[in-house]
């Protein structure tokens, strides 16, 4: 399969680089008179000063921190310094394009990169300093972000989704035939959106191909979905042997497999195969959640938007059990004290991206403000660390403490008392820092 990585990186460098301003380059920064939400506590600290050296938090002190020439001072005046937000289920490409754009004959690498580049910058400006991409053509964007050609969050890439024929990642149009029988890869495969892989050998190759390009974890489709054309929600996808092959290949590289699945049968098979993280799971029962608890498996789920009249009637029907189940899943998972992570999972509706922050508030019916903020910072950061040595960004995230990476937001107010501040990043996030660099500063 022809790789689009060098092509798209060239497009970014030559055509889109001039569109994006660079971050402030001072690497010694002092926050003075701030109160800290450290990612774990139920209350803010007293007034402190925070010294940033390079890309890490060097020290935190209630006493004045001496500083010399060349130091950028940010006067907090009692505002709240907290970790950058983390969304562990995004699709940077699929979320930036509508279905009409995806299916357009005019779709090209340039169009995709222009859309996703702008979306990445807006995501960072909403305070999301780290994301886990849950499948799609991501590597060119990640390269552009990491080399400061484009503003955007840190990205933990999965690469192309891996799906069986007629699985949730089988994006073929009706006229596209099987690659195995007719020799032509589908359009989605050519765009590095998915691998359609059947049998142990093909699954191994697909996993290893993603790892070759730098995947930090592997995304496997283990059950039916609501946005796909061929598979009912209730079906179980991939045999145990196929799924175990993916796990073995990932573990050989020191990382893990995450699975798309809703039903008890699909999730139980995935856990037996050694999967470490379940995406979605809104139709799970107590028995399966208890199994996840015993095995230490993460539940990475969402509070999805209700169906709307604009959705395809078939999709509305397929979503019914998922929407009904999510109101039961969250409180059950909390009661059992599962490892819970949060993400948005916006697909093919670019306008939803602007609601990314407000979706955090949807958790208030089950969790306290402190529990929610911990989930979208510290807990999500813990999930990212499952990638081990395949993590593209060594260091501690999701906390404000000495030695942690300097991904920070200065909030005008106390988000523990008023979580709605998080949903107004344009006005209330007065400073946004990633990797020790200031990307936004309304206090200048």
């Amino acid at each position: 399969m022809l790789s689009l990585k060098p092509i798209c990186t060239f497009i970014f460098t030559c055509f889109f680089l001039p569109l994006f301003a660079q971050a402030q380059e001072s690497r010694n920064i002092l926050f003075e008179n701030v109160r800290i939400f450290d990612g774990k506590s139920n209350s803010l600290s007293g007034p402190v000063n925070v010294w940033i050296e390079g890309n890490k938090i060097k020290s935190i002190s209630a006493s004045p921190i001496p500083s010399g020439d060349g130091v950028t001072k940010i006067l907090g005046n009692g505002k709240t310094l907290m970790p950058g937000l983390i969304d562990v289920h995004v699709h940077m490409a699929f979320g930036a394009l509508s279905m009409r754009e995806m299916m357009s004959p005019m779709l090209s690498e340039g169009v995709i990169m222009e859309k996703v580049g702008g979306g990445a910058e807006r995501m960072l400006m909403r305070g999301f300093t780290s994301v886990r991409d849950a499948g799609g053509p991501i590597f060119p964007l990640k390269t552009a972000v990491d080399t400061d050609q484009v503003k955007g969050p840190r990205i933990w890439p999965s690469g192309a989704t891996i799906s069986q024929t007629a699985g949730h990642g089988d994006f073929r149009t009706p006229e596209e035939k099987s690659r195995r029988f007719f020799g032509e890869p589908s359009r989605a495969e050519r765009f590095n959106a998915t691998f359609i892989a059947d049998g142990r050998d093909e699954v191994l190759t697909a996993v290893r191909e993603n790892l070759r390009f730098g995947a930090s974890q592997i995304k496997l489709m283990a059950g039916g979905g609501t946005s796909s054309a061929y598979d009912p929600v209730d079906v179980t996808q991939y045999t145990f042997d196929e799924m175990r092959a993916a796990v073995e290949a990932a573990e050989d590289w020191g990382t893990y497999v995450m699975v798309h699945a809703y039903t008890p049968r699909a999730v139980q098979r995935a856990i037996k195969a050694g999967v470490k993280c379940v995406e979605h799971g809104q139709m799970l029962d107590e028995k399966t959640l208890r199994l996840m608890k015993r095995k230490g498996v993460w539940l990475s789920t969402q509070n999805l938007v209700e169906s709307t009249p604009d959705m395809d009637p078939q999709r509305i029907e397929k979503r019914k059990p998922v929407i009904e189940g999510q109101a039961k899943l969250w409180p059950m998972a909390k009661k059992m004290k599962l490892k819970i992570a949060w993400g948005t999972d916006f697909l093919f509706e670019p306008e939803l991206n602007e609601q990314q922050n407000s979706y955090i508030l949807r958790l208030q019916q089950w969790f306290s403000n402190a529990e929610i903020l911990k989930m979208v910072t510290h807990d999500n950061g813990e999930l990212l660390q499952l990638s081990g040595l395949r993590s593209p960004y060594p260091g501690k995230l999701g906390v404000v403490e000495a030695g942690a990476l300097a991904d920070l937001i200065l909030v005008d107010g106390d988000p523990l008392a008023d979580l709605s501040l998080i949903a107004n990043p344009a006005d209330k996030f007065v400073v946004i820092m990633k990797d020790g660099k200031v990307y936004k500063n309304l206090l200048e």
Side-chain angles (χ1 to χ4, degrees):
M1 181 185 298
L2 176 66
S3 170
L4 299 180
K5 183 176 180 179
I7 297 172
C8 296
T9 302
F10 173 80
I11 291 171
F12 259 120
T13 304
C14 295
F15 298 104
F16 300 119
L17 177 57
L19 300 178
F20 300 96
Q22 297 301 298
Q24 181 178 323
E25 286 299 325
S26 175
R27 302 317 299 269
N28 295 304
I29 298 171
L30 179 61
F31 287 94
E32 292 187 320
N33 186 20
V34 296
R35 301 180 70 194
I36 289 176
F37 168 66
D38 63 5
K40 299 176 285 185
S41 302
N42 293 324
S43 59
L44 301 182
S45 72
V48 295
N49 307 295
V50 180
W51 174 257
I52 308 298
E53 189 173 294
N55 70 338
K56 292 185 178 180
I57 300 171
K58 182 69 173 179
S59 62
I60 300 172
S61 176
S63 303
I65 298 178
S67 60
D69 295 337
V71 175
T72 298
K73 291 185 179 181
I74 298 176
L75 304 180
N77 294 322
K79 295 178 176 63
T80 301
L81 191 68
M82 64 172 285
L85 301 173
I86 302 173
D87 188 331
V88 295
H89 196 116
V90 302
H91 297 277
M92 300 297 288
F94 300 153
L97 296 163
S98 68
M99 185 59 74
R100 176 173 292 182
E101 289 170 323
M102 288 284 292
M103 301 306 296
S104 170
M106 303 303 294
L107 185 68
S108 65
E109 299 88 33
V111 170
I112 293 175
M113 291 302 106
E114 182 178 15
K115 292 277 187 178
V116 300
E121 178 174 3
R122 289 188 291 274
M123 192 173 290
L124 179 60
M125 291 300 100
R126 291 193 292 271
F128 286 88
T129 53
S130 292
V131 298
R132 186 179 60 158
D133 191 275
I138 188 61
F139 297 115
L141 174 65
K142 183 183 183 303
T143 297
V145 170
D146 290 347
T147 55
D148 285 330
Q149 298 173 41
V150 169
K151 289 183 182 180
R154 302 176 189 269
I155 299 172
W156 272 254
S158 302
T161 63
I162 302 175
S163 169
Q164 68 175 47
T165 296
H168 185 56
D170 186 342
F171 302 139
R172 287 177 296 160
T173 55
E175 67 275 9
E176 291 183 294
K177 298 184 182 297
S178 168
R179 167 182 48 79
R180 172 172 287 188
F181 298 129
F182 297 92
E184 289 290 330
S186 67
R187 187 170 184 260
E189 289 174 290
R190 291 197 302 272
F191 276 108
N192 289 333
T194 192
F195 287 124
I196 301 174
D198 294 298
R200 181 179 179 87
D201 290 350
E202 286 196 351
V203 170
L204 287 172
T205 301
V207 170
R208 290 166 178 165
E209 189 75 359
N210 276 330
L211 292 169
R212 172 176 175 255
F213 281 109
S216 51
Q217 65 285 319
I218 297 299
K219 171 69 173 297
L220 203 73
M221 302 305 194
T226 65
S227 59
S228 43
Y230 305 110
D231 54 332
V233 173
D234 63 281
V235 302
T236 302
Q237 297 176 13
Y238 276 127
T239 65
F240 171 82
D241 187 56
E242 289 170 315
M243 208 177 305
R244 182 62 194 160
V247 170
E248 288 173 352
E251 287 180 345
D252 284 347
W253 279 59
T255 188
Y256 70 99
V257 172
M258 55 194 278
V259 293
H260 163 102
Y262 292 109
T263 67
R265 187 171 190 267
V267 170
Q268 289 175 26
R269 179 181 291 179
I271 294 172
K272 184 179 178 182
V275 164
K276 299 297 184 185
C277 185
V278 172
E279 304 299 310
H280 314 310
Q282 284 93 338
M283 296 167 64
L284 295 181
D285 55 18
E286 288 190 22
K287 177 182 176 181
T288 307
L289 293 178
R290 285 195 295 269
L291 177 62
M292 293 178 66
K293 173 71 174 178
R294 288 199 305 271
K295 297 293 186 179
V297 174
W298 279 84
L299 174 65
S300 168
T301 191
Q302 308 81 37
N303 190 7
L304 301 172
V305 67
E306 299 292 332
S307 296
T308 67
D310 294 333
M311 291 181 181
D312 181 87
Q314 182 184 8
R315 186 183 180 198
I316 292 174
E317 188 64 28
K318 292 180 77 176
R319 293 179 93 242
K320 281 182 180 179
V322 174
I323 300 301
E324 292 170 0
Q326 69 182 0
K328 303 173 185 176
L329 177 68
W330 283 101
M332 281 198 301
K334 177 182 178 180
K335 182 179 180 180
M336 294 183 186
K337 298 182 179 179
L338 264 66
K339 296 179 179 180
I340 309 174
W342 169 88
T344 46
D345 191 28
F346 296 148
L347 286 169
F348 312 129
E349 296 179 271
E351 65 278 1
L352 283 180
N353 291 315
E354 297 305 315
Q355 300 181 42
Q356 189 175 19
N357 298 63
S358 64
Y359 266 57
I360 296 173
L361 306 186
R362 291 168 167 262
L363 301 174
Q364 286 182 301
Q365 57 189 305
W366 304 298
F367 299 92
S368 69
N369 290 352
E371 290 171 331
I372 293 170
L373 288 175
K374 178 175 178 287
M375 188 185 303
V376 301
T377 56
H378 171 273
D379 295 354
N380 279 0
E382 288 286 299
L383 174 55
L384 295 179
Q385 296 309 309
L386 271 187
S387 295
L389 293 177
R390 300 289 77 75
S391 174
Y393 312 100
K396 196 166 187 179
L397 286 169
V399 293
V400 181
E401 61 183 45
L405 292 170
D407 288 12
L408 302 166
I409 305 170
L410 188 64
V411 183
D412 186 8
D414 177 2
L416 286 173
D418 181 6
L419 194 65
S420 68
L421 298 172
I422 299 296
N424 187 10
D427 295 329
K428 298 302 181 181
F429 291 179
V430 294
V431 175
I432 296 174
M433 171 184 284
K434 188 195 81 171
D435 203 42
K437 299 177 183 179
V438 175
Y439 287 82
K440 175 185 178 181
N441 187 353
L442 297 182
L443 302 179
E444 290 180 325

